[in-house]
Amino acid sequence: MRLLSLVALILFSHMSVSACELELNGADRSQADKKRDLSSLPCQMNALLPVQPGNVVLDLLGGAGYFSELLSQQVGANGKVYLHNNQAYLPYVEKQLRQRLEQNRLPNVVRFDAELDKLALAPDSLDAVYFIMGYHDMYHVSEGWKIDPKQLMTQIYTALKPGAKMLVVDHNASAGSGTAAAQELHRIEVSYVQQELQQFGFKLITSSDVLANSQDDYTKSVFDKTVRGKTDRFVLLLQKPVNL
């Protein structure tokens, strides 16, 4: 029985990746998105957290919506993707965001502008959350930007359905650094994130080294041109427990 389950999981994973690869070749995808595919590996992310037709997904701090566009194809006409940004982030992505959503080209993607302390998401309403390159931002402070990690993650936990999953991807930091690199280098230590999310109630399902890079220099900001786009990134899949 276990062998059959393993075979089924492998086959499902391959089918998911194949469908995703077809989506990547879509004629209306931008060249910028196709270029990003090479470093973000969206099909591998989809294999870790596949979403189904009719699902409701939150793209938390989703920026210009790179992942939201792909997720919109996966949830289908009966599904919904909430593309979230807060006001402090919008000036950096507004132009690209409008271009992506213009003329209702992604009708199942909802532009969701909301402050992180007031998401007002309904309890047990989300089937999945993508949180890509944003976890460290909970520990970054600047003008108009200060986040309470526990308060934000409590909202997300409450909004997820029992058994629903969250994918977290971020830039790794040196061992033992915790959140210290978040302010200047925009990095965070993976072991710290694992421990904290479990303290917030999430169950760690698996991790992946598909975006790992042992040659990364943890002393450099992720925006440094010598490491940008090729940092050592961790990938964590977490779940809201079914039996609460």
Side-chain angles (χ1 to χ4, degrees), residues 105-221:
R105 63 180 293 269
L106 300 175
N108 59 354
V109 174
V110 177
R111 176 169 171 168
F112 180 35
D113 298 349
E115 295 310 298
L116 290 159
D117 60 344
K118 298 176 182 178
L119 293 177
L121 295 163
D124 301 341
S125 61
L126 299 177
D127 295 291
V129 173
Y130 268 52
F131 195 11
I132 311 297
M133 306 305 182
Y135 202 93
H136 72 273
D137 283 321
M138 295 195 297
Y139 294 93
H140 176 88
V141 179
S142 58
E143 185 176 355
W145 190 285
K146 187 174 183 180
I147 302 169
D148 181 336
K150 184 176 181 179
Q151 199 264 359
L152 173 56
M153 286 295 104
T154 297
Q155 290 183 85
I156 299 302
Y157 185 92
T158 301
L160 282 166
K161 297 176 181 178
K165 298 181 177 70
M166 175 171 67
L167 186 71
V168 176
V169 181
D170 215 329
H171 309 279
N172 205 0
S174 58
S177 63
T179 65
Q183 184 66 25
E184 299 297 332
L185 305 181
H186 302 273
R187 297 174 178 270
I188 192 165
E189 183 189 3
V190 59
S191 60
Y192 177 90
V193 176
Q194 291 176 332
Q195 182 179 13
E196 180 170 75
L197 283 170
Q198 289 175 95
Q199 290 175 349
F200 291 157
F202 292 93
K203 178 182 178 182
L204 179 64
I205 301 300
T206 190
S207 60
S208 172
D209 62 359
V210 68
L211 295 175
N213 179 9
S214 61
Q215 303 303 310
D216 187 16
D217 184 348
Y218 290 157
T219 68
K220 293 184 177 180
S221 165

Side-chain angles (χ1 to χ4, degrees), residues 17 20 24 33-48 66-67 70 130 133 167 169 208-212 233 235:
V17 170
C20 179
L24 297 189
D33 279 1
K34 291 181 178 180
K35 181 178 180 180
R36 179 173 169 177
D37 293 342
L38 300 176
S39 60
S40 292
L41 304 183
C43 291
Q44 284 84 340
M45 301 303 103
N46 175 244
L48 281 168
Y66 167 82
F67 274 102
L70 294 170
Y130 268 52
M133 306 305 182
L167 186 71
V169 181
S208 172
D209 62 359
V210 68
L211 295 175
R233 288 157 288 166
V235 181

